[in-house]
């Protein structure tokens, strides 16, 4: 990635407004052409083009920290900072990341894949800048959806108190933060930002201090009334100046407003209204399916690849919907991912029982803990990477009390092009150490139904994980309904080799078995539960099989093999050799899943060669 640091950077500071318009359109076209071929985020990046062009025009990318919330909308920033020629490799293996990444470019201030971190980062940067006595301005671009997470308000609370010089660009493209009241609101908001208004405000405050109490009271009430008819009331009350709303696609207005914001001596929010998908009519507006896309035909908007198999997410969605039809106590929650987690169907059919709480994983978990205490059965559907954000709530609000909440963990394992911020590698390890929780995993379509049904019957917390996309094929061995802590021996072997699979790892074990059956003919065990382990079955198998291979889509440290080794050690079993094909202690890069797996040496063909080499 070092090459991107030396690439030619686009200088736009000497351009006219008309030229900035042309640059914006060229950037938008480049993003559309690339994403239609490679897949990636679409509606947000093309909706934020003018705002990012304005940032690069007004501020100095050589010294000012440019901080992008989530950073999936930062494609224009990448194109303006030396990555135009390499942009065709977006999200491809060993290509450009779909998010900002400091080791890719010196102009990417921070890595970001989760939402609502930008203002905290800007506050931290401002503290350091002040301590060093430097003339730099942190600029944070945050979408209005990210304001649904509590971390933002923790940062705003301190920022309003300490008054650091930070510029926050609020990209309002989905839900109105506060509905503007026509031209008067826009006029007043803009006037509030002008130097003359700021001087008047300070003079007025000094005069009011010397007014009689009654007159000062009336003057203060007039100021409060002015704030009430502007959308910036919340931010002004937090001690942060507010400009807007402005048209986030009018480059002249964006530049003019950002220049005003740059001259502020304290924190300021620029409220820009934009249209998601701007410039590509099929994606314009709030269409969740255009947020992140696979390769598609730019003319028709139709996907280029259509899978004939059902994804694990769709299987979960169908199983949960059938369960919810049968049991009125089944409820569910997601954090801004109704389609991504498969809850959309239940939300549409049972709107009083299934909720989207926006980007608020912590709140999702804690609120469902109370719902569970009241006698309902909540299914908390969250991606593995995002569940990390609610770890304290899992322990403190669910597991200590032992309420019967269910965690349906989507995108477990390698997720491909989203890369290291999104890989679902850690949930087994970080949940296995928590008391009172049961961990299990389906391996295919039918076992997903069994997993959902089993989870419904649990009286204590439980969690099950499943991959992005389709399950690997293990259909040769039909599954059975789940029993607490019981594994399923799929086949006996003719030698000392045992394959142990967990979740989607069972499919990898089965595919590896097909390559080795004529030479080794190993036994195959679907572990089903990693907590509690089926100790009786494992101890029984240890008497016959002495070479165990573990297949699981999680990290080695604290993972499935670790659990097995702990059990063997407890029971003083010394003559079983355990080797695992779980992931090493490092973050895994983005790229096509098959290519990533090949680089890690975990394709079934690679595993088979490894096993044969060691066996001979």
């Amino acid at each position: 990635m070092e090459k991107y640091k030396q690439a030619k950077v686009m200088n736009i500071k000497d351009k006219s407004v008309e030229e900035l318009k042309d640059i914006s359109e060229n950037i938008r076209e480049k993003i559309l052409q690339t994403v239609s071929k490679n897949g990636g985020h679409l509606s947000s990046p093309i909706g934020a083009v003018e705002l990012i062009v304005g940032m690069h025009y007004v501020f100095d990318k050589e010294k000012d920290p440019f901080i992008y919330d989530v950073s999936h909308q930062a494609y224009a920033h990448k194109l303006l900072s030396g990555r135009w020629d390499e942009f065709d490799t977006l999200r491809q293996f060993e290509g450009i990341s779909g998010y900002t990444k400091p080791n890719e470019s010196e102009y990417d201030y921070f890595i970001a894949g989760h939402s609502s971190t930008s203002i905290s980062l800007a506050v931290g940067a401002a503290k350091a800048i002040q301590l060093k006595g430097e003339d730099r301005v942190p600029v944070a671009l945050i979408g209005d959806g990210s304001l649904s997470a509590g971390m933002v308000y923790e940062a705003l609370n301190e920022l309003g108190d300490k008054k650091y010089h930070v510029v926050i660009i609020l990209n309002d493209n989905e839900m109105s933060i506060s509905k503007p009241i026509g031209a008067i609101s826009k006029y007043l908001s803009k006037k509030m930002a002008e130097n003359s208004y700021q001087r008047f405000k300070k003079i007025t405050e000094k005069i009011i201090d010397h007014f009689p109490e009654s007159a000062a009271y009336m003057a203060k009430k007039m100021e409060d009334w002015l704030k009430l008819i502007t959308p910036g009331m919340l931010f002004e009350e937090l001690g942060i100046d507010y400009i807007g709303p402005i048209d986030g696609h009018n480059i002249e207005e964006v530049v003019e407003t950002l220049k005003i914001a740059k001259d502020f001596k304290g924190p300021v929010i620029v409220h820009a209204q934009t249209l998601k998908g701007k410039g590509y009519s099929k994606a314009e507006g709030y269409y969740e399916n255009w947020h992140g896309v696979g390769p598609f035909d730019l003319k028709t908007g139709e996907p280029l690849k259509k899978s004939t198999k059902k994804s694990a997410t769709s299987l979960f969605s169908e199983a949960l919907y059938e369960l919810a039809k049968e049991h009125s106590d089944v409820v569910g929650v997601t954090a801004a991912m109704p389609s991504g987690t498969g809850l959309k169907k239940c939300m549409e059919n049972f709107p009083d029982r299934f909720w989207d709480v926006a980007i608020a994983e912590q709140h999702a978990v804690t609120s469902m803990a109370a719902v569970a205490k009241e006698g309902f059965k909540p299914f908390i559907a969250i991606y593995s990477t995002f569940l990390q954000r609610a770890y304290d709530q899992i322990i403190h609000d669910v597991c200590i009390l032992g309420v019967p909440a269910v965690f349906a963990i989507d995108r477990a394992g390698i997720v491909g092009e989203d890369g290291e911020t999104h890989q679902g590698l850690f949930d087994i390890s970080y949940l296995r150490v928590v008391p009172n929780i049961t961990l299990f995993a389906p391996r295919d379509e039918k076992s997903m139904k069994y997993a959902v049904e089993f989870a419904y019957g649990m009286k204590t917390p439980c969690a099950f994980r499943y991959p992005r996309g389709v399950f690997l094929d293990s259909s040769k061995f039909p599954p059975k309904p789940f029993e607490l802590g019981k594994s399923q021996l799929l086949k006996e072997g003719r030698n000392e080799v045992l394959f142990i699979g967990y979740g989607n790892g069972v499919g990898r074990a089965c595919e590896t078995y097909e390559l080795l059956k004529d030479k080794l003919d190993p036994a195959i065990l679907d572990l089903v539960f990693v907590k509690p382990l089926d100790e009786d079955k494992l101890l029984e198998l240890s008497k016959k099989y002495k070479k165990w291979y573990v297949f699981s889509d999680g990290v080695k440290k604290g993972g499935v093999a670790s659990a097995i080794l702990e059990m063997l050690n407890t029971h003083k079993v010394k003559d079983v050799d355990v080797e695992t094909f779980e992931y090493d202690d490092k973050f895994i890069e983005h790229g096509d899943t098959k290519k990533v797996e090949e680089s890690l040496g975990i394709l079934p063909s690679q595993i088979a060669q490894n096993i044969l080499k060691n066996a001979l």
Side-chain angles (χ1 to χ4, degrees):
M1 294 297 179
E2 194 72 26
K3 60 183 177 180
Y4 302 132
K5 293 185 179 181
Q6 306 301 324
K8 186 177 180 180
V9 176
M10 191 181 300
N11 181 15
I12 63 171
K13 285 189 173 294
D14 60 348
K15 305 299 182 183
S16 68
V17 170
E18 289 303 314
E19 288 174 315
L20 292 180
K21 290 179 183 177
D22 291 339
I23 289 169
S24 297
E25 287 308 309
N26 288 338
I27 287 172
R28 184 170 279 112
E29 182 62 26
K30 179 74 169 178
I31 293 171
L32 281 167
Q33 292 290 344
T34 303
V35 175
S36 67
K37 294 176 183 176
N38 297 7
H41 293 94
L42 182 71
S43 56
S44 293
I46 61 177
V49 169
E50 285 82 6
L51 293 180
I52 293 174
V53 169
M55 285 171 63
H56 278 255
Y57 183 81
V58 173
F59 296 93
D60 187 350
K61 63 178 174 293
E62 300 294 336
K63 65 173 186 175
D64 295 330
F66 285 4
I67 304 169
Y68 297 91
D69 207 275
V70 186
S71 82
H72 63 298
Q73 80 281 56
Y75 292 177
H77 165 78
K78 289 175 179 281
L79 291 166
L80 288 167
S81 57
R83 285 165 278 185
W84 187 281
D85 292 340
E86 295 84 4
F87 196 71
D88 291 341
T89 69
L90 180 72
R91 292 165 56 89
Q92 294 181 344
F93 184 61
E94 296 185 338
I96 287 177
S97 170
Y99 302 91
T100 53
K101 192 172 180 180
N103 67 352
E104 176 180 295
S105 169
E106 61 187 327
Y107 299 108
D108 290 2
Y109 182 75
F110 227 86
I111 195 164
H114 293 184
S115 85
S116 314
T117 64
S118 62
I119 301 178
S120 292
L121 290 170
V123 171
K127 288 177 179 178
I129 289 167
Q130 186 180 84
L131 287 170
K132 292 193 286 186
E134 296 176 344
D135 180 23
R136 299 162 61 206
V137 184
V139 186
L141 177 63
I142 182 171
D144 57 322
S146 291
L147 292 187
S148 59
M151 187 175 177
V152 166
Y153 300 96
E154 296 174 20
L156 288 173
N157 183 55
E158 183 183 18
L159 183 59
D161 177 51
K162 299 298 184 182
K163 306 294 184 185
Y164 297 114
H165 189 189
V166 171
V167 175
I168 301 166
I169 303 171
L170 173 56
N171 180 19
D172 181 2
N173 59 22
E174 287 182 0
M175 56 184 186
S176 181
I177 304 304
S178 180
K179 203 166 187 177
I181 306 173
I184 294 176
S185 171
K186 190 171 184 178
Y187 173 80
L188 285 174
S189 298
K190 192 169 182 180
K191 286 297 179 186
M192 287 168 62
E194 293 179 354
N195 290 333
S196 58
Y197 174 79
Q198 295 301 320
R199 287 196 299 270
F200 173 75
K201 184 177 178 182
K202 287 182 171 62
I203 293 169
T204 303
E205 288 171 351
K206 290 180 180 178
I207 294 173
I208 288 173
D209 287 340
H210 295 89
F211 272 8
E213 187 175 335
S214 58
Y217 174 80
M218 292 303 296
K220 185 68 172 65
K221 283 296 178 186
M222 176 63 73
E223 185 181 17
D224 289 345
W225 178 80
L226 286 173
K227 288 179 183 177
L228 282 171
I229 64 171
T230 72
M233 179 178 65
L234 168 64
F235 306 112
E236 289 279 346
E237 289 301 310
L238 284 169
I240 300 169
D241 286 302
Y242 169 90
I243 311 173
I246 65 168
D247 180 355
H249 298 301
N250 183 326
I251 191 64
E252 185 173 9
E253 188 173 1
V254 168
V255 167
E256 178 186 347
T257 307
L258 289 181
K259 284 181 177 178
I260 293 170
K262 184 180 181 181
D263 290 336
F264 272 62
K265 299 305 180 187
V268 57
I269 285 183
V270 175
H271 181 178
Q273 293 180 315
T274 61
L275 179 66
K276 289 193 80 169
K278 173 69 174 178
Y280 186 60
S281 59
K282 293 177 176 59
E284 288 184 346
Y286 182 67
Y287 295 104
E288 190 180 353
N289 57 310
W290 284 104
H291 173 74
V293 297
F296 66 96
D297 186 295
L298 200 52
K299 291 182 179 180
T300 66
E302 291 296 314
L304 296 181
K305 299 177 183 178
K306 293 184 179 180
S307 176
T308 56
K309 293 184 178 180
K310 292 182 179 179
S311 69
T313 302
S314 64
L315 295 173
F316 165 71
S317 176
E318 292 172 4
L320 184 63
Y321 174 67
E322 292 301 320
L323 190 75
K325 282 200 304 183
E326 186 178 351
H327 301 283
S328 61
D329 61 338
V330 172
V331 299
V333 71
T334 184
M337 295 286 184
S339 293
T341 60
L343 248 63
K344 189 173 183 179
K345 185 174 183 179
C346 284
M347 290 172 63
E348 291 172 345
N349 287 276
F350 311 106
D352 295 333
R353 291 161 49 194
F354 289 84
W355 306 276
D356 178 0
V357 297
I359 305 173
E361 292 87 359
Q362 295 168 313
H363 166 61
V365 172
T366 297
S367 64
M368 288 301 102
V371 170
K373 181 176 171 59
E374 291 290 336
F376 291 88
K377 190 69 181 184
F379 281 75
I380 303 166
I382 298 179
Y383 292 4
S384 173
T385 183
F386 298 136
L387 191 60
Q388 295 162 186
R389 312 189 87 184
Y391 191 50
D392 177 63
Q393 288 68 32
I394 293 169
I395 296 172
H396 185 274
D397 302 323
V398 174
C399 289
I400 290 178
L401 195 59
V403 295
V406 179
F407 295 97
I409 306 174
D410 202 331
R411 287 1 183 226
I414 291 176
V415 298
E417 290 82 0
D418 280 330
E420 55 263 68
T421 59
H422 282 61
Q423 310 285 21
L425 311 180
F426 309 110
D427 56 272
I428 296 172
S429 300
Y430 70 67
L431 290 176
R432 197 169 67 80
V433 298
V434 181
N436 289 345
I437 192 167
T438 298
L439 305 180
F440 55 102
R443 70 172 191 258
D444 60 11
E445 180 170 355
K446 195 165 186 180
S447 64
M448 174 64 84
K449 183 175 183 293
Y450 291 149
V452 171
E453 291 173 347
F454 176 82
Y456 175 73
M458 285 291 294
K459 305 301 181 186
T460 52
C462 67
F464 61 94
R465 72 192 315 256
Y466 43 96
R468 179 185 185 183
V470 300
F471 282 105
L472 296 175
D473 186 18
S474 62
S475 58
K476 185 175 181 178
F477 308 105
K480 299 178 291 186
F482 291 4
E483 296 179 58
L484 179 61
K486 296 298 181 182
S487 59
Q488 297 179 13
L489 185 63
L490 305 186
K491 69 171 294 294
E492 292 279 4
R494 291 182 304 186
N495 52 44
E496 292 190 331
V497 177
L498 172 65
F499 286 0
I500 301 175
Y502 181 65
N504 203 37
V506 178
R508 196 180 306 277
C510 289
E511 291 183 6
T512 305
Y513 160 79
E514 290 297 323
L515 299 172
L516 294 174
K517 61 184 179 182
D518 294 334
K519 294 182 179 180
L520 291 182
D521 190 31
I524 303 177
L525 178 74
D526 178 358
L527 197 60
V528 185
F529 290 85
V530 72
K531 184 177 183 179
L533 284 173
D534 189 351
E535 295 191 3
D536 291 341
K537 175 60 73 174
L538 288 168
L539 291 172
E540 175 190 329
L541 293 172
S542 71
K543 296 173 183 177
K544 180 177 179 181
Y545 303 101
K546 302 301 181 180
K547 181 62 179 179
W548 294 5
Y549 293 96
V550 176
F551 299 75
S552 171
D553 292 338
V555 292
K556 291 178 181 177
K557 289 185 179 293
V560 175
S562 178
I564 292 170
L565 285 165
E566 290 165 17
M567 185 277 300
L568 292 174
N569 183 64
T570 298
H571 291 279
K572 311 298 183 186
V573 177
K574 305 292 186 182
D575 59 344
V576 171
D577 182 26
V578 178
E579 184 174 343
T580 180
F581 299 108
E582 295 167 289
Y583 307 123
D584 289 327
D585 186 25
K586 63 180 182 179
F587 291 104
I588 296 176
E589 299 275 333
H590 68 274
D592 174 78
T593 298
K594 291 289 185 187
K595 290 184 178 179
V596 171
E597 290 177 343
E598 183 179 12
S599 73
L600 298 173
I602 59 169
L603 291 177
S605 58
Q606 294 172 305
I607 293 174
Q609 289 178 356
N610 188 350
I611 292 173
L612 273 180
K613 184 170 63 177
N614 293 334
L616 297 176

